Amino acid sequence: MIFVSGVHEGTPKEIRETAKTAAGIKKKFYFSYYSGKDKAIAYKLKNVVIYEKPKALSDYGIRQAPQSFVYL
């Protein structure tokens, strides 16, 4: 099971420096997302499972992601 082991708060530039190697998103998209924002938040995860072959939502009986996850 995946757990949140920490929460980092700071400016978008500070958080980018902290999480840039593990964030999994491109720098351009990141700064576009935080454009005009003073604060950014990053969650540090533990017990993450990385599958050799990516899983599809249908593997879990799900047709589409919930609306709150569409932007992740």
Side-chain angles (χ1 to χ4, degrees):
M1 180 174 280
I2 298 173
F3 295 97
V4 175
S5 63
V7 179
H8 300 278
E9 296 183 38
T11 67
K13 187 175 180 180
E14 291 169 340
I15 297 302
R16 174 70 185 168
E17 281 302 310
T18 300
K20 67 182 172 187
T21 59
I25 59 173
K26 303 253 187 245
K27 182 178 181 178
K28 184 177 179 178
F29 176 82
Y30 175 86
F31 283 109
S32 172
Y33 182 84
Y34 281 108
S35 177
K37 306 295 187 288
D38 297 328
K39 185 177 182 181
I41 296 176
Y43 297 99
K44 184 175 181 180
L45 305 177
K46 76 179 200 179
N47 297 341
V48 174
V49 176
I50 299 174
Y51 294 98
E52 192 172 309
K53 180 181 173 194
K55 301 281 187 178
L57 290 176
S58 60
D59 293 336
Y60 301 98
I62 301 170
R63 290 185 20 225
Q64 71 181 56
Q67 184 177 356
S68 60
F69 285 86
V70 170
Y71 304 106
L72 294 179

